[in-house]
Amino acid sequence: MTTPATPAGPATPSALARAEALYEAGRYEQAGELAARHLAEDPEDADALTLLARCRHRAGGHADALVAVEQALRAEPEQIGAHLMRTQILLALKRYGDAEASALRTVELAPQFWGSHYALGTALAETAEAGRGRDRARVAAAYEAARTAVALGPEEDAAHFLVGLTAQRRGDHATARRAYETTLRLNPQSSEAHNNLSLLKLRRRWLRRGAWTQAAEGFVASAVLDLTDRKARYNLEAMAWGTAAGARWVALLGFLASAVARAWVPSPPTWSGAAVPLLAGGAVLVGAWAGWAVWMTRRVPPRLRRPLLLVARNCRPVLFMAGAVGLLGLHSFAALALWSLDQGAVNGFGTLLFWTVIITYWASRTALNRRMPKD
């Protein structure tokens, strides 16, 4: 959840301003230490307590962050920033009911602030997601809260992203796509928007030319913008696996072509009798693989090949699928080249590789699904 900027308040002491600058620079531990030193002199400073909570939350200390933000609210019960931070921390702690209540209180205190409705929409959306998407009423309420946030803050990319996310979960993909595109117009560095928009494009890969390539480009952009984004990396792994798995049909066709060609070779095998079936089988085999290579060259432009190869190299399901397909493809060529060998042995080994491809497809698919990020 993105923390919305709160309405401008009174000027803060210079030490607190330095702590805020450190926080914005991603130096959360140092910012927290500076805020703590400030609090040693002024323990009831709600702004400093809220900043300390933000630093602890970023560092993963959600329980300690909650203690700090609740202390800030005791010092200043109507501080919007503290309520927003409390909502975010409660969501991290999976206390969804309390997070919703905190967000509703923020809306009551600041009904014209976009961030209040954004926090409520986020709380509702995460609560619904925790229930495996079954709570349609909450998803609908989250969507309406997101739309209100956009109406109040039309230039806030986080609000548009939330509209896209909630619309996507409702099945309204056209609205979701427009919202993600607006998000990227306002903030081209949004890795989440790149990722989610690519998922929508991937759904239309059979209906719209170039959709697969555009989706891959989006996943690459998302992974580059956020190196910790496991979802984008997984989506790239899934695309690499899909590419290898799709080649199985070419390998199976090649296996069939080589088997039929060898079966047409008369016995005893002579070159004059074997030439026609072997050349016909070879033409089918070469044509199938050449056609697949041309198609993949157009589908995966040079700028995407290296990222996909790097991802595939470290993903076992992709490697096993590609290996099984490659072995069956090599066997088909070898079977034609070594046409004079005993057909029983050659066909038996080919049948083994054929079933290896089938079994590897399902096994690697299951293994890939297990790599899917849980959050």
Side-chain angles (χ1 to χ4, degrees):
M1 171 180 170
T2 302
T3 305
T6 54
T12 56
S14 59
L16 196 56
R18 291 198 302 273
E20 184 72 42
L22 288 169
Y23 177 88
E24 294 299 330
R27 298 162 66 179
Y28 307 122
E29 185 176 348
Q30 291 175 300
E33 291 174 356
L34 195 55
R37 286 203 298 269
H38 174 82
L39 286 166
E41 300 176 1
D42 186 1
E44 297 302 314
D45 187 332
D47 289 330
L49 286 165
T50 301
L51 177 56
L52 180 62
R54 290 160 61 194
C55 294
R56 289 176 174 176
H57 173 65
R58 284 287 190 175
H62 307 308
D64 291 337
L66 184 60
V67 171
V69 80
E70 290 186 338
Q71 188 177 347
L73 287 170
R74 285 194 296 271
E76 192 175 329
E78 295 189 356
Q79 191 197 66
I80 303 303
H83 280 285
L84 291 172
M85 192 67 243
R86 184 172 185 269
T87 300
Q88 190 171 351
I89 294 168
L90 289 169
L91 287 173
L93 292 170
K94 303 187 185 303
R95 292 171 54 179
Y96 299 110
D98 292 336
E100 282 188 34
S102 180
L104 283 169
R105 178 57 178 157
T106 311
V107 172
E108 292 174 3
L109 291 171
Q112 298 304 313
F113 177 43
W114 77 271
S116 303
H117 297 275
Y118 171 81
L120 177 60
T122 301
L124 291 167
E126 291 204 22
T127 302
E129 183 69 8
R132 298 183 181 179
R134 297 173 183 172
D135 195 340
R136 295 185 179 180
R138 270 197 172 88
V139 173
Y143 175 69
E144 293 304 323
R147 290 185 61 189
T148 302
V150 165
L152 294 171
E155 297 302 314
E156 300 293 342
D157 63 277
H160 287 281
F161 176 81
L162 185 58
V163 168
L165 181 66
T166 51
Q168 185 175 0
R169 290 178 181 174
R170 297 180 72 195
D172 186 355
H173 297 141
T175 298
R177 185 173 61 255
R178 290 193 298 270
Y180 292 141
E181 288 171 349
T182 303
T183 302
L184 291 172
R185 177 178 60 79
L186 295 170
N187 179 16
Q189 305 301 309
S190 174
S191 64
E192 290 181 318
H194 278 291
N195 182 75
N196 289 13
L197 181 59
S198 295
L199 286 173
L200 292 178
K201 290 179 178 178
L202 197 60
R203 290 174 55 89
R204 305 181 65 188
R205 62 188 181 276
W206 303 115
L207 304 176
R208 185 175 178 182
R209 185 177 181 181
W212 190 95
T213 303
Q214 292 173 6
E217 289 174 338
F219 291 139
V220 170
S222 179
V224 170
L225 289 169
D226 186 356
L227 298 178
T228 65
D229 189 347
R230 295 175 59 240
K231 291 182 180 179
R233 183 177 182 83
Y234 171 78
N235 289 331
L236 283 173
E237 290 175 345
M239 296 188 86
W241 179 87
T243 299
R248 77 188 186 280
W249 297 112
V250 184
L252 295 175
L253 174 62
F255 169 73
L256 181 63
S258 65
V260 170
R262 285 177 59 87
W264 283 353
V265 174
S267 182
T270 62
W271 173 244
S272 59
V276 172
L278 291 178
L279 289 174
V284 173
L285 192 59
V286 171
W289 281 108
W292 180 83
V294 170
W295 181 57
M296 290 308 303
T297 299
R298 293 180 177 179
R299 195 183 199 193
V300 187
R303 62 184 177 276
L304 292 179
R305 292 171 195 167
R306 179 175 173 79
L308 284 174
L309 286 173
L310 289 175
V311 166
R313 188 177 63 184
N314 297 308
C315 181
R316 289 187 177 181
V318 177
L319 294 176
F320 278 104
M321 189 70 247
V325 168
L327 285 174
L328 184 58
L330 288 174
H331 172 271
S332 300
F333 282 102
L336 292 180
L338 304 175
W339 57 274
S340 60
L341 294 181
D342 178 60
Q343 285 209 27
V346 173
N347 291 341
F349 186 58
T351 302
L352 175 63
L353 291 177
F354 172 90
W355 285 108
T356 298
V357 169
I358 302 298
I359 294 170
T360 301
Y361 171 82
W362 293 107
S364 63
R365 182 175 181 176
T366 301
L368 182 70
N369 288 337
R370 289 176 182 167
R371 295 171 67 94
M372 182 183 298
K374 304 300 181 186
D375 53 344

